[in-house]
Amino acid sequence: GTSCDIQKLATRASISLLSDSFTAVNAENDLELAKAGATASLSLIEGILLRAPDSIDVRMIAAEAYIGYALAFVEHGSPLRAAEFFRRGRNHALHAWKIQAHKDGTPEPRSSLWFNLKELKKYLATLSHQYVPIVYWTAQGWAGLIQNESSNPELLADIPTIIELSAFILRHNPSYGFAGAHVLLGAIESGIPRFLGGSPESARNHFERAMTLTQGRFLMIHIVFARTYAVQVQDRPLFTRLLEEVRLADINLLPEQRLANAAAKRHAERLQEHIDELFER
């Protein structure tokens, strides 16, 4: 009836408001102001999800919001709290994935799928490029969870899953999320032993590809490149050069991502302070 329609309209209006506030937070270069805005957005998202739990749009905004919040504001100070935000982000993306698959009449991803690489490869091969955002945020959340809960050895078993999800994105849209799949693979391949799929050479190629695809304007790539690959192979000159490029970059290089670039500048300062601990003399 009418009340149901009014509720639907109200929900739609809230979603569009949410989307706008999210855009505004991403474009903000004052980290404190952005943090306040992002914190408010997270509460708003949870409120809307109570009314529209199966909205793919809201689930995807939620995934991106939690993961972005963890990256920008939580990761440095409290890894375990960050891991919880990454887990929430991943779970929102997985929820969206299930709803989308149900809508498309495609099998939904069952939990057994994540631990059977052969099945996962086969399943991903059946999905179209429209799944790129869902797969991307699932992979991002999962990777952040593993990185910040590094004391949990069970999570290391999930790395091949993230590699497969990233490969799906590279097949369909390698530029998506500021070449985020290349960055994920670069970080993973820098940090794990060769027998698990690690390869410093391949890692460096992924980072350089990501820099090319984004024209060096998304500064978080420099940060991940520096703190994973450069530290792992002990390339101090590369580390210094990457941080210097971040320090000198104009904050308006990418106006719609001022927040991420401001956060990258803060990360660069912190990494610079620890350079002597990170590199053997």
Side-chain angles (χ1 to χ4, degrees):
T2 324
S3 72
C4 185
D5 295 339
I6 289 172
Q7 213 175 354
K8 269 192 188 143
L9 275 175
T11 304
R12 215 169 298 146
S14 319
I15 293 173
S16 114
L17 173 71
L18 181 60
S19 175
D20 291 347
S21 78
F22 198 61
T23 304
V25 166
N26 280 335
E28 179 53 62
N29 67 348
D30 181 301
L31 287 174
E32 294 316 307
L33 195 59
K35 186 176 183 178
T39 309
S41 290
L42 290 178
S43 307
L44 182 60
I45 288 167
E46 291 300 340
I48 295 173
L49 279 172
L50 292 175
R51 280 212 307 249
D54 288 342
S55 160
I56 293 174
D57 289 345
V58 184
R59 289 283 174 185
M60 292 307 293
I61 291 174
E64 197 174 333
Y66 275 108
I67 292 165
Y69 192 83
L71 283 168
F73 306 116
V74 190
E75 206 173 28
H76 178 76
S78 41
L80 281 178
R81 185 164 170 253
E84 188 42 49
F85 280 120
F86 281 119
R87 180 184 276 109
R88 283 191 203 182
R90 178 200 63 177
N91 291 349
H92 282 304
L94 282 173
H95 193 112
W97 194 334
K98 284 186 173 149
I99 305 160
Q100 187 66 56
H102 188 70
K103 266 174 69 169
D104 295 342
T106 305
E108 53 179 64
R110 296 176 320 284
S111 50
S112 58
L113 190 67
W114 309 123
F115 308 106
N116 184 334
L117 279 187
K118 227 164 84 186
E119 287 302 307
L120 180 59
K121 275 182 206 275
K122 266 188 355 207
Y123 176 73
L124 289 172
T126 66
L127 299 182
S128 73
H129 66 90
Q130 83 174 77
Y131 281 84
V132 164
I134 284 174
V135 174
Y136 175 76
W137 290 106
T138 301
Q140 273 287 12
W142 214 323
L145 172 60
I146 290 175
Q147 196 194 336
N148 286 281
E149 218 175 279
S150 48
S151 57
N152 182 349
E154 281 178 21
L155 281 170
L156 286 179
D158 299 343
I159 285 174
T161 304
I162 296 169
I163 292 174
E164 278 309 316
L165 297 176
S166 303
F168 171 85
I169 295 153
L170 292 191
R171 281 198 300 278
H172 290 282
N173 185 356
S175 299
Y176 187 82
F178 301 99
H182 278 299
V183 179
L184 270 183
L185 287 169
I188 289 171
E189 290 176 6
S190 302
I192 61 175
R194 284 183 185 272
F195 69 86
L196 278 175
S199 157
E201 303 78 21
S202 168
R204 184 169 189 146
N205 287 338
H206 280 300
F207 283 120
E208 287 176 348
R209 192 79 200 100
M211 300 274 240
T212 305
L213 286 170
T214 56
Q215 298 162 329
R217 292 180 2 196
F218 191 66
L219 302 176
M220 271 300 188
I221 298 172
H222 291 66
I223 297 299
V224 183
F225 193 1
R227 75 172 184 209
T228 60
Y229 173 84
V231 172
Q232 199 63 34
V233 302
Q234 290 288 290
D235 186 337
R236 190 172 176 143
L238 172 67
F239 183 87
T240 310
R241 174 174 70 78
L242 288 166
L243 297 190
E244 191 60 7
E245 283 173 11
V246 172
R247 196 178 69 77
L248 296 174
D250 178 358
I251 195 66
N252 296 313
L253 198 60
L254 201 60
E256 71 277 20
Q257 286 293 331
R258 276 193 206 97
L259 168 59
N261 281 349
K265 282 177 174 284
R266 183 188 272 184
H267 278 298
E269 282 168 25
R270 287 176 179 150
L271 284 170
Q272 191 62 53
E273 285 163 16
H274 294 288
I275 189 164
D276 290 329
E277 298 152 44
L278 294 169
F279 291 89
E280 290 148 21
R281 283 275 175 212

